[in-house]
Amino acid sequence: MRSYFAVFFLGLLALEACSFRSIVIHPDIPYMEEGFLDELPEKQLTVYAPKKVKSEPYPVLLFIHGGSWRSGNKEKYIPLGRRFARKGYVTVIIDYPLSPTYKVHSMGKASAKAVDWTHRHIGDFGGDPNNLFVSGHSAGGHLAALISVRDEYFDSIGVASNPIRGAVLIDPAGLDMFTYLVEANNAPGTSHNRTFTDSPEVWRDASPMYHLHDAMPPMMIMVGGRTEPSILHGADRFMEAHAPYTPQPGFYLQKRKKHIPMIVQFLYTPSKTYRRVREFVETNRSHEL
């Protein structure tokens, strides 16, 4: 698994050497101070913005990295931020607290805090706060879905209204973590229980599938046909639960893709996945200034 990521990131860095001219990068901006909510650490984000100034602000894409909720960082996704910025998005890539020191609800609160910071400040970077979309791969896809459907995370940080306009989920893990952990029957304190605790109540509470509602933002979901079985099964259950709310959601099964190639495909700039993201954003964005 690590070798796949190493090849991916080295390849992206090599191909991105010429991308600085058309974008502006604002690195390591603190969005959450040490001791926030008496429990969370300081965390930072990086903003990637198109250099060209337009009369109409750019849509915003906030990306949450994967890593099984226990690893990863925003620096590994520098090429992704550059590429989306070159495609016409003000792109925000965040760090968030990781397991085992922090549990899933702390990660949700931090992700919501990053969205709130972005909503309040992204206009300074040419982005449109009224068109803020969240995205994530793997565990990051889970957190993006979770804060999209559960306004409680915004309530917990004192934000009255969820500003998320839509969610782009890339091979998301944990959409139904409750069923996965029940079937896994892990020994207490092992595996994903370090993130989701040993409590079935928390497993269900942190599973986006059980919090769908009429007012939730629209979602675009991309899943690899050869990805991890738990992701495939969770996506199937999620889509079945989602159907009463959106009979024809933006769901794309990429039959030949495994889990890591689902994010590696963004290495290829002409990839049709960029077109799908653009179509999703254009369909769901607000044109009010």
Side-chain angles (χ1 to χ4, degrees):
M1 184 73 76
R2 291 182 180 176
S3 62
Y4 277 117
F5 273 114
V7 171
F8 169 49
F9 295 122
L10 288 175
L12 277 175
L13 288 169
L15 291 175
E16 284 294 319
C18 301
S19 68
F20 289 101
R21 295 181 181 177
S22 60
I23 65 171
V24 180
I25 302 173
H26 305 271
D28 303 329
I29 302 171
Y31 72 83
M32 185 169 68
E33 68 274 13
E34 181 76 29
F36 182 70
L37 299 181
D38 297 325
E39 61 168 315
L40 297 175
E42 178 182 306
K43 285 296 171 184
Q44 300 176 334
L45 54 78
T46 295
V47 177
Y48 303 81
K51 191 171 184 179
K52 182 179 180 181
V53 178
K54 293 182 11 177
S55 57
E56 181 179 354
Y58 292 97
V60 180
L61 186 73
L62 183 147
F63 182 83
I64 306 173
H65 69 76
S68 296
W69 299 276
R70 61 178 179 266
S71 65
N73 58 65
K74 62 184 175 59
E75 279 70 33
K76 290 183 177 180
Y77 294 86
I78 290 171
L80 187 73
R82 293 177 186 162
R83 283 178 177 262
F84 268 109
R86 295 181 75 189
K87 290 287 185 178
Y89 301 89
V90 174
T91 307
V92 179
I93 301 183
I94 74 167
D95 278 337
Y96 58 91
L98 298 175
S99 176
T101 304
Y102 296 92
K103 307 303 181 187
V104 62
H105 286 317
S106 294
M107 300 175 194
K109 292 174 186 177
S111 299
K113 178 65 174 173
V115 169
D116 175 53
W117 185 97
T118 301
H119 184 250
R120 289 186 290 108
H121 296 284
I122 206 63
D124 297 336
F125 303 91
D128 184 353
N130 295 318
N131 284 299
L132 196 168
F133 294 79
V134 296
S135 182
H137 172 248
S138 193
H142 162 263
L143 292 171
L146 190 61
I147 63 173
S148 294
V149 301
R150 290 208 63 191
D151 293 345
E152 290 87 346
Y153 290 105
F154 291 95
D155 295 340
S156 71
I157 64 171
V159 175
S161 179
N162 185 339
I164 295 172
R165 190 78 187 175
V168 177
L169 311 181
I170 306 166
D171 221 40
L175 296 179
D176 181 12
M177 205 65 184
F178 174 77
T179 299
Y180 171 77
L181 288 173
V182 167
E183 293 177 349
N185 194 26
N186 298 321
T190 65
S191 189
H192 290 310
N193 294 53
R194 288 190 290 269
T195 301
F196 289 83
T197 79
D198 296 320
S199 169
E201 182 179 350
V202 175
W203 305 346
R204 188 181 182 93
D205 209 34
S207 296
M209 172 178 158
Y210 300 100
H211 303 283
L212 305 179
H213 55 90
D214 288 326
M216 64 186 170
M219 296 186 184
M220 171 186 170
I221 304 173
M222 294 179 282
V223 175
R226 298 171 62 193
T227 188
E228 304 296 329
S230 61
I231 292 177
L232 273 174
H233 297 157
D236 286 343
R237 290 191 294 270
F238 183 85
M239 296 311 300
E240 183 177 354
H242 197 277
Y245 302 96
T246 308
Q248 294 182 316
F251 179 78
Y252 301 95
L253 180 66
Q254 297 181 255
K255 294 182 179 180
R256 299 181 180 180
K257 289 279 195 296
K258 295 183 179 181
H259 185 54
I260 302 304
M262 285 298 295
I263 191 69
V264 170
Q265 66 185 319
F266 287 92
L267 172 64
Y268 182 55
T269 299
S271 170
K272 60 185 176 183
T273 55
Y274 282 106
R275 185 184 71 246
R276 288 171 176 168
V277 172
R278 182 180 68 248
E279 290 171 352
F280 174 78
V281 170
E282 288 302 315
T283 298
N284 294 289
R285 70 181 295 187
S286 168
H287 291 279
E288 296 181 8
L289 296 178

